[in-house]
Amino acid sequence: MPNPKSGTVTMDVAKAVKEVKQGKIDFKVDKAGIIHASIGKVSFTSEQIYQNAKEFIATVIKLKPAAAKGTYLKSIFISSTMSKGIKIDPKSVE
């Protein structure tokens, strides 16, 4: 849904479109530290979803605070909107 905080509701439409085309990643973090993000659509091929997931995880690891000690990614699950999640081994993606 459009949201002013995420930049999808703006008076500068050209800038918003340019950012999205350049690969702007948008995600939410809840109070428990769980990251929610969209990495694909039904029309995407499995390779496109794989590349998007790989890039998203790399971005999350890159954004790790310097003060964070220990294991940063404890678990990874991928799912469609209304389905059970599939567990992915975090060590296989780092």
Side-chain angles (χ1 to χ4, degrees), residues 40-45 49:
K41 298 181 180 193
V42 174
S43 61
F44 286 14
T45 65
I49 293 172

Side-chain angles (χ1 to χ4, degrees):
M1 294 299 297
N3 184 347
K5 288 183 181 178
S6 66
T8 54
V9 176
T10 180
M11 296 306 288
D12 191 357
V13 177
K15 180 182 173 196
V17 170
K18 182 180 173 188
E19 287 176 347
V20 170
K21 285 185 176 183
Q22 288 178 340
K24 178 181 176 184
I25 297 176
D26 200 23
F27 56 91
K28 294 185 274 185
V29 181
D30 63 16
K31 291 179 183 178
I34 300 171
I35 301 172
H36 302 270
S38 174
I39 58 166
K41 298 181 180 193
V42 174
S43 61
F44 286 14
T45 65
S46 58
E47 181 63 26
Q48 288 173 316
I49 293 172
Y50 170 77
Q51 290 298 328
N52 285 352
K54 187 176 173 182
E55 184 63 32
F56 177 72
I57 292 168
T59 301
V60 169
I61 292 170
K62 185 175 75 175
L63 294 174
K64 175 183 176 181
K69 302 292 183 207
T71 306
Y72 193 60
L73 293 177
K74 293 185 179 180
S75 61
I76 301 172
F77 288 84
I78 188 169
S79 70
S80 64
T81 304
M82 299 297 287
S83 71
K84 290 185 176 182
I86 299 169
K87 187 169 183 148
I88 297 171
D89 181 21
K91 298 204 185 309
S92 69
V93 296
E94 292 180 0

